[in-house]
């Protein structure tokens, strides 16, 4: 019945969503569907949603319209975080036929009986307390690197965040399964794996469906480092209180883990960190950065920061700005606070006007540009390794060094997905780095 039906996917949000979209897509292919690009005409469009920002909510409607332009009779399915939090809202969007929550999304093919359009979207959404089992996933085929999911959900109660409501409790893949997936990725010739999850430093918890820890994040890292054929392993984002000295020391001497950390800060003010119910104060963050730089002086450190949180006065914002300005970090991901229903922060006093939030966001984005430039300048003259990406961007091929310096050279298809030793020479007008090949021969 479903012979050679075409399915296309669109992913909003984080690396974790990309890994899950890939897994859902493989399920469709195993059922006899043909995967096509989202820009193509398809019988089914699956949109994996995000709820972290207002913008992601709004973009959903635009993406639905884009899909229906390609095929007005297409069957539209919404999955992901927004689908779990506000299923009825998504189901009410014109053209949406099926909305699947947190536990249902990996069984999407079993919800498709026929592809006739529904007048109103059909909803299958669980109570989030039911999202207590783990589904492993990883993304391949879209990039020269793969996102490998090792953990899902979160037990933290940050006052601005809906992710625990959208993804449930913290739970982990078994160590055995993570290693199996890593080997499978490696066997497909992929050179880099990025570890992903909602709170990956919490890895181990929920491996058996309870809070018992059989393994720790450090044990996971050590086991992955032994897998043959993986040239690079990258830790995507890890809470500062869960990034231990032992892990940092191990990464510094490991075979495959690269000197790149992304560590959420959210605020440089202890007063706001407490209001946010973060599980650390500023000193812990300072210590993490100092420790990394002590054992890996050339490490790249990225920072998540939120501007405009309730109660963020000009003074408290400047406290964050000055703290980050003085800190030895490499770039920022700046998030403008947006009110989310069913969070504590929504009820808080001291609402920051939208215009002020935008101005502060712009200031921190400017600081990020300055920080990245300074980091790139500090790397000039260094001999590093680059892994080239697969896209031809205006006649150039781009790549990233192990410590996340973005480099460019004239397009050459032979370089795609290859590793080379290079020496960084100068920063180009667009802010990317030029280099010389140290030896033209391919590493792998």
């Amino acid at each position: 019945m479903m012979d050679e039906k075409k399915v296309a996917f669109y992913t909003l949000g984080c690396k974790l969503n990309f890994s899950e979209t890939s897994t859902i897509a493989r399920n469709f292919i195993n059922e006899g569907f043909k995967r096509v690009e989202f820009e193509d005409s398809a019988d089914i469009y699956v949109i994996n949603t995000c709820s972290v920002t207002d913008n992601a909510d709004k973009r959903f409607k635009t993406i639905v319209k884009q899909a229906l332009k390609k095929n007005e009779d297409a069957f539209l399915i919404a999955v992901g975080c927004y689908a779990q939090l506000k299923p009825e809202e998504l189901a009410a969007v014109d053209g949406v036929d099926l909305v699947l929550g947190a536990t249902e999304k990996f069984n999407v093919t079993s919800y498709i009986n026929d592809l006739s359009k529904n007048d109103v979207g059909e909803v299958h959404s669980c109570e989030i307390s039911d999202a207590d089992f783990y589904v492993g996933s990883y993304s391949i085929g879209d990039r020269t690197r793969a996102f490998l999911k090792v953990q899902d959900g979160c037990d933290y109660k940050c006052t601005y965040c809906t992710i625990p409501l959208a993804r449930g409790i913290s739970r982990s893949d078994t160590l055995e399964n993570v290693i199996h997936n890593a080997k499978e990725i490696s066997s497909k010739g992929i050179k880099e794996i990025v570890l992903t999850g909602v709170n990956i430093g919490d890895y181990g918890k929920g491996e058996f469906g309870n809070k018992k820890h059989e393994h720790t994040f450090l044990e996971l890292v050590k086991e992955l480092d032994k897998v043959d054929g993986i040239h690079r392993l990258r830790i995507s984002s890890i809470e500062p209180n869960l990034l231990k000295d032992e892990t940092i020391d191990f990464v510094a001497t490991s075979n495959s883990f690269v000197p790149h950390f992304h560590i959420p800060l959210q605020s440089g003010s202890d007063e706001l960190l407490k209001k946010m119910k973060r599980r650390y104060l500023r000193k812990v963050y300072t210590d993490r950065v100092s420790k990394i730089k002590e054992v890996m002086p050339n490490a790249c450190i990225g920072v998540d920061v939120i501007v405009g949180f309730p109660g963020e006065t000009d003074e408290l914002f400047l406290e964050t700005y000055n703290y980050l300005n003085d800190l030895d970090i490499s770039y920022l991901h700046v998030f403008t606070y947006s009110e989310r229903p069913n969070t504590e922060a929504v009820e808080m006093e001291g609402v920051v006007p939208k215009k002020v939030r935008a101005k502060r966001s712009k200031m921190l984005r400017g600081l990020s540009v300055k920080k990245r430039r300074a980091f790139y300048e500090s790397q000039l003259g260094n001999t590093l390794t680059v892994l080239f990406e697969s896209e031809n961007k205006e006649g150039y091929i781009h790549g990233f060094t192990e410590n996340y310096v973005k480099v460019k050279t004239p397009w050459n298809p032979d370089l795609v997905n290859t590793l080379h030793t290079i020496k960084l020479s100068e920063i180009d007008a667009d802010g990317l780095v030029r280099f010389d090949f140290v030896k033209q021969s391919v590493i792998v």
Side-chain angles (χ1 to χ4, degrees), residues 5-9 25 28-29 33-37 41-46 77:
K5 290 286 184 189
K6 293 175 186 168
V7 61
F9 298 85
F28 269 96
I29 291 162
F33 289 82
K34 181 183 179 186
R35 184 177 183 176
V36 297
E37 295 300 314
S41 175
D43 301 292
I44 299 174
Y45 291 93
V46 180
I77 304 170

Side-chain angles (χ1 to χ4, degrees), residues 233-245:
L233 284 153
R234 207 178 283 277
I235 297 167
S236 63
S237 181
I238 184 165
E239 295 284 309
N241 50 305
L242 296 174
L243 178 57
K244 307 296 185 192
D245 282 357

Side-chain angles (χ1 to χ4, degrees), residues 11-31:
T11 306
L12 289 159
C14 61
K15 295 182 178 81
L16 182 56
N17 270 7
F18 276 99
S19 77
E20 292 183 342
T21 298
S22 261
T23 297
I24 293 166
R26 285 194 292 276
N27 292 344
F28 269 96
I29 291 162
N30 292 341
E31 297 276 345

Side-chain angles (χ1 to χ4, degrees), residues 363-412:
M363 283 176 70
L364 280 182
R365 287 176 207 278
L367 178 61
S368 181
V369 170
K370 189 179 109 177
K371 284 285 184 184
R372 195 185 296 271
R373 175 91 189 188
F375 177 63
Y376 282 8
E377 283 174 356
S378 77
Q379 298 303 300
L380 294 180
N382 285 357
T383 299
L384 297 162
T385 307
V386 62
L387 173 60
F388 286 106
E389 307 270 302
S390 56
E391 226 176 314
N392 181 344
K393 292 188 178 172
E394 296 173 3
Y396 287 94
I397 187 168
H398 295 159
F400 286 94
T401 62
E402 59 268 46
N403 61 346
Y404 217 55
V405 174
K406 192 172 185 181
V407 303
K408 64 185 280 196
T409 197
W411 171 255
N412 175 356

Side-chain angles (χ1 to χ4, degrees), residues 21 38 69 85 103 153 156 159 253 302 327 375 406:
T21 298
F38 194 81
K69 265 187 190 168
L85 287 171
T103 59
Y156 287 11
T159 54
T253 59
L327 203 59
F375 177 63
K406 192 172 185 181

Side-chain angles (χ1 to χ4, degrees), residues 332-361:
L332 305 172
H333 279 175
V334 183
F335 297 89
T336 304
Y337 172 75
S338 59
E339 285 78 2
R340 318 306 292 162
N342 303 315
T343 59
E344 278 188 62
V346 164
E347 310 293 331
M348 289 181 182
E349 293 176 1
V351 173
V352 179
K354 292 271 172 72
K355 276 186 180 173
V356 177
R357 295 183 211 182
K359 182 183 166 192
R360 290 175 185 172
S361 176

